[in-house]
């Protein structure tokens, strides 16, 4: 049974697809099964050479719009083209190998309509395709924690994100990044003053498999992440040389607490949990004899940093 789309739709679900024939059918079905009906699904086939286009066009639901690049343009160009084509009040991302839970759109629209959030992700399951193992994510959920965690990691799962369309249309993905484009975008939006949240419900299944760009270009991704972290610190007016990374004990005690003092001065009300996770990046791993002491050090520094951030 097909549905008549609302004009205009409230949500534009954006799905970039390149040689995604193995999984795209399941991803499309997960969107069509949403309890929230007021959406359009935009699929952009980025020059696929497999059956991606044929599988997508076999769906007859009138809420689906399919676009196509004759030649592969890359993920950033494809994402930006989808954003430009979107007509909804909100934009939701979903990759062609991931699965949205049935209530995902409804839960995120409800939060965004409340007016306290501009960009919203969710908790999720990670599905390791090779083994079938599923793992729950360990997200931070509050705005301050998400913005603080951006100094060490990407705290939003891109295919779980929904946000105001105006935000994404005015802040496109960076054309120079095709492996860490989402991480850099969240940092840009943070520095611009937008507000974040992660819903605590597991509303996405994020699939990990051998064909992903992030798996094929791991070293390039890591280098891009470090560049993004240093750029973010500059935006926060924190010296990039203080970037959290494993340091010897004496160097860590000089750099780590000072870094957290500055971070909590610029981003207020960061939780002890987030400060604990950030400070852990300064600590070297692997010596189990000292584990209890490093955890105690981590907790004490995090407690003091959070107290300072609440003053």
């Amino acid at each position: 049974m097909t549905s008549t789309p609302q004009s205009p739709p409230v949500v534009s679900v954006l799905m970039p697809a390149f040689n995604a024939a193995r999984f795209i059918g399941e991803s499309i079905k997960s969107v069509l099964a949403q309890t929230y009906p007021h959406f359009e699904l935009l699929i952009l086939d980025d020059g696929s050479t497999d059956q991606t286009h044929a599988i997508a066009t076999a769906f007859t639901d009138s809420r689906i719009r399919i676009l196509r690049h004759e030649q592969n343009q890359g993920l950033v160009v494809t994402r930006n083209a989808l954003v430009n084509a979107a007509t909804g009040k909100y934009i939701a991302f979903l990759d062609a190998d991931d699965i949205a839970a049935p209530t995902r759109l409804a839960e995120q629209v409800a939060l965004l309509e409340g007016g306290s959030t501009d960009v919203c992700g969710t908790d999720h399951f990670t599905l390791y395709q090779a083994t079938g193992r599923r793992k729950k994510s360990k997200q931070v959920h509050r705005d301050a924690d998400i913005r603080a965690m951006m100094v060490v990691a990407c705290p939003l799962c891109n295919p779980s994100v929904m946000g105001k369309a105006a935000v994404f249309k005015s802040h496109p993905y960076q054309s120079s990044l095709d492996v860490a484009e989402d991480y850099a975008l969240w940092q840009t939006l943070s520095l611009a003053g937008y507000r974040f949240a992660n819903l605590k419900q597991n509303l996405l299944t994020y699939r990990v498999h051998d064909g992903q760009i992030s798996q094929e270009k791991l070293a390039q991704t890591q280098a891009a992440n470090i560049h993004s972290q240093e750029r973010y610190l500059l935006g926060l007016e924190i010296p990039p040389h203080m970037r959290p990374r494993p340091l010897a004990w004496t160097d860590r005690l000089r750099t780590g607490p000072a870094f957290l003092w500055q971070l909590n001065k610029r981003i207020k009300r960061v939780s002890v949990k987030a400060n604990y996770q950030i400070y852990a990046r300064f600590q070297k791993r692997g010596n189990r004899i000292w584990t209890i002491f490093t955890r105690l050090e981590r907790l004490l520094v995090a407690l003091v940093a959070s107290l300072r951030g609440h003053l």
Side-chain angles (χ1 to χ4, degrees):
M1 180 177 178
T2 59
S3 302
T4 302
Q6 186 179 3
S7 182
V10 177
V11 181
S12 295
V13 182
L14 309 186
M15 183 180 292
F18 175 65
N19 288 347
R22 290 172 62 194
F23 307 118
I24 191 171
E26 190 175 5
S27 296
I28 292 172
K29 289 176 183 177
S30 77
V31 178
L32 299 181
Q34 292 295 301
T35 60
Y36 186 85
H38 307 303
F39 66 84
E40 62 175 352
L41 171 58
L42 273 62
I43 303 168
L44 203 169
D45 174 11
D46 188 26
S48 296
T49 57
D50 64 1
Q51 293 300 306
T52 294
H53 190 73
I55 293 169
T57 54
F59 289 88
T60 58
D61 194 295
S62 60
R63 293 170 294 184
I64 299 175
R65 284 201 285 146
I66 299 175
L67 311 173
R68 192 175 192 181
H69 288 155
E70 292 302 322
Q71 301 292 328
N72 182 258
Q73 301 293 310
L75 186 56
V76 168
V77 171
T78 300
R79 288 201 194 282
N80 286 336
L82 283 166
V83 169
N84 289 335
T87 62
K89 177 181 179 181
Y90 301 116
I91 282 174
F93 297 102
L94 183 69
D95 290 343
D97 49 4
D98 298 326
I99 304 166
T103 61
R104 177 198 163 178
L105 298 186
E107 298 280 1
Q108 291 185 290
V109 168
L111 176 62
L112 291 167
E113 289 285 280
S116 63
T117 301
D118 302 304
V119 177
C120 168
T122 78
D123 281 0
H124 60 278
F125 295 105
T126 298
L127 170 62
Y128 296 91
Q129 187 66 28
T131 63
R133 183 169 68 93
R134 283 161 58 94
K135 181 181 178 181
K136 290 183 179 180
S137 63
K138 296 180 180 179
Q139 307 284 93
V140 291
H141 301 99
R142 298 168 53 250
D143 176 60
D145 289 357
I146 291 170
R147 292 170 56 226
M149 287 297 296
M150 289 181 193
V151 302
V152 294
C154 185
L156 296 166
C157 180
N158 189 83
S160 81
V161 167
M162 182 190 292
K164 296 177 180 177
V167 172
F168 297 112
K169 288 180 180 290
S170 60
H171 294 83
Y173 289 98
Q174 295 182 35
S175 59
S176 60
L177 296 172
D178 228 9
V179 290
E181 75 286 347
D182 53 338
Y183 191 10
L185 178 58
W186 312 144
Q187 292 168 329
T188 296
L189 297 181
S190 174
L191 293 173
Y194 292 104
R195 301 160 299 173
F196 296 88
N198 270 320
L199 287 171
K200 294 182 180 181
Q201 298 94 318
N202 292 295
L203 297 176
L204 178 86
T205 298
Y206 174 76
R207 197 188 306 263
V208 175
H209 57 89
D210 292 341
Q212 290 172 303
I213 290 177
S214 57
Q215 297 296 303
E216 294 175 349
K217 300 182 179 179
L218 184 57
Q220 185 180 348
T221 300
Q222 291 172 340
N225 286 345
I226 291 172
H227 175 76
S228 292
Q229 290 162 5
E230 292 177 346
R231 170 183 160 275
Y232 188 51
L233 291 179
L234 280 173
L236 292 172
E237 299 182 344
I238 298 174
H241 74 265
M242 298 181 76
R243 179 181 61 84
R245 74 272 186 207
L247 295 174
W249 185 72
T250 53
D251 293 332
R252 181 168 74 241
L253 289 183
R254 283 197 299 267
T255 303
F259 173 83
L260 281 188
W261 307 161
Q262 292 195 45
L263 180 65
N264 283 258
K265 182 178 179 180
R266 287 156 179 78
I267 302 175
K268 295 293 186 180
R269 300 189 177 278
V270 178
S271 71
V272 174
K273 175 184 176 182
N275 279 320
Y276 183 96
Q277 293 177 358
I278 293 167
Y279 188 76
R281 301 301 179 100
F282 284 106
Q283 296 178 318
K284 295 185 177 181
R285 308 295 176 89
N287 191 335
R288 295 184 179 180
I289 297 174
W290 298 104
T291 296
I292 188 171
F293 298 105
T294 56
R295 287 180 178 174
L296 180 59
E297 173 195 337
R298 203 181 302 169
L299 179 59
L300 290 173
V301 173
L303 280 168
V304 174
S306 292
L307 287 172
R308 282 174 168 243
H310 281 73
L311 295 177

